[in-house]
Amino acid sequence: HTTLLRFDLSALPRDAVVTSATLRFNVVVLGGSYGIYEALRPWDEATATWLELSAGTPWGSGGASAIADRGSTSLGTLAAPALGSLDVPLNAAGVAVVASWVSGSRTNAGFAIANSATLDGVDLSSSESATPANRPALILGYTQATTTPTSLTWGGQTWAIKSSSGLVGPGPNVFSGWNAWTDGSGYLHL
C-alpha cells in the first residue's frame, strides 16, 4: 500500500526556519502501521497510479518503491490507534526535508506513505473530503530570519544583493534579499 501527499508551501517565506512538522489525518478505518518517506519524483495527482507517476511515465517500481521514487529514510510513522483525528509528528529528518522544500533547496514532490509488508490498509479521509477539517494537513512550526540576506551563491560565484528602502528606477523596483534566492534545481529567482 502506498499513499502520496503533497502540500503547497509557496505561501511560506523562503527564509522560514522550520522548527516542527506534523501531518494531520482523519482515520476512518483502522489498519496497519506505515512509514512516511520523501517522494523524490514529481507526480501528477490526477493521473498517478500504482504503476505510473503520471500518464505514460512509470514509477521505477510499483507503488513508488524504487530508490529513485522515494527516500529510504523514515520521516515518521503513521499508526492509528483510534478513529478520528490523528497527528503524526515528523522526526528530525522529516523536519529537515520540509525545511528544504520551504527554502527551495529541494523539489517538493511530497510524501510517500507506504508499507509493502502489510495487507491491513488504514483508510484516511482524502483531500477531496466534503468536510475540510477532515482533509490531510501539514502543520508547521517556524520562525522567520531577522536579517535580510546580503549575498547568495549561484553559478559558482557569490553575488552581493542590493537593498533599497523604497522604489528606485528605472522600473521602478525594490531591491531586497528576501526576493532573491536559488532553488533546488539551481535556478536563480529574482
Side-chain angles (χ1 to χ4, degrees):
H1 299 280
T2 301
T3 295
L4 298 169
L5 288 173
R6 183 174 46 231
F7 298 92
D8 181 1
L9 303 175
S10 63
L12 291 168
R14 288 233 177 247
D15 68 324
V17 177
V18 178
T19 57
S20 65
T22 299
L23 288 168
R24 178 168 288 161
F25 300 101
N26 182 57
V27 180
V28 293
V29 174
L30 298 177
S33 176
Y34 288 80
I36 301 169
Y37 303 93
E38 178 185 14
L40 298 176
R41 297 175 67 192
W43 45 274
D44 179 60
E45 182 178 2
T47 60
T49 66
W50 179 260
L51 297 175
E52 295 183 335
L53 59 96
S54 62
T57 305
W59 291 108
S61 185
S65 59
I67 197 162
D69 296 333
R70 71 170 184 233
S72 59
T73 301
S74 175
L75 308 180
T77 303
L78 188 158
L83 300 178
S85 184
L86 172 68
D87 284 355
V88 179
L90 298 184
N91 59 28
V95 172
V97 165
V98 172
S100 72
W101 294 341
V102 170
S103 73
S105 64
R106 284 163 74 152
T107 300
N108 176 4
F111 300 100
I113 301 173
N115 182 341
S116 59
T118 185
L119 297 176
D120 191 13
V122 62
D123 289 357
L124 309 167
S125 294
S126 76
S127 61
E128 299 167 354
S129 174
T131 306
N134 289 345
R135 297 174 186 161
L138 176 61
I139 302 158
L140 298 179
Y142 70 91
T143 60
Q144 191 166 350
T146 56
T147 59
T148 303
T150 58
S151 66
L152 63 81
T153 302
W154 180 71
Q157 301 290 320
T158 299
W159 300 85
I161 300 173
K162 181 179 180 180
S163 291
S164 63
S165 59
L167 296 175
V168 294
N173 298 298
V174 173
F175 297 101
S176 169
W178 297 123
N179 53 5
W181 72 91
T182 56
D183 64 24
S185 298
Y187 293 106
L188 175 65
H189 298 267
L190 300 172

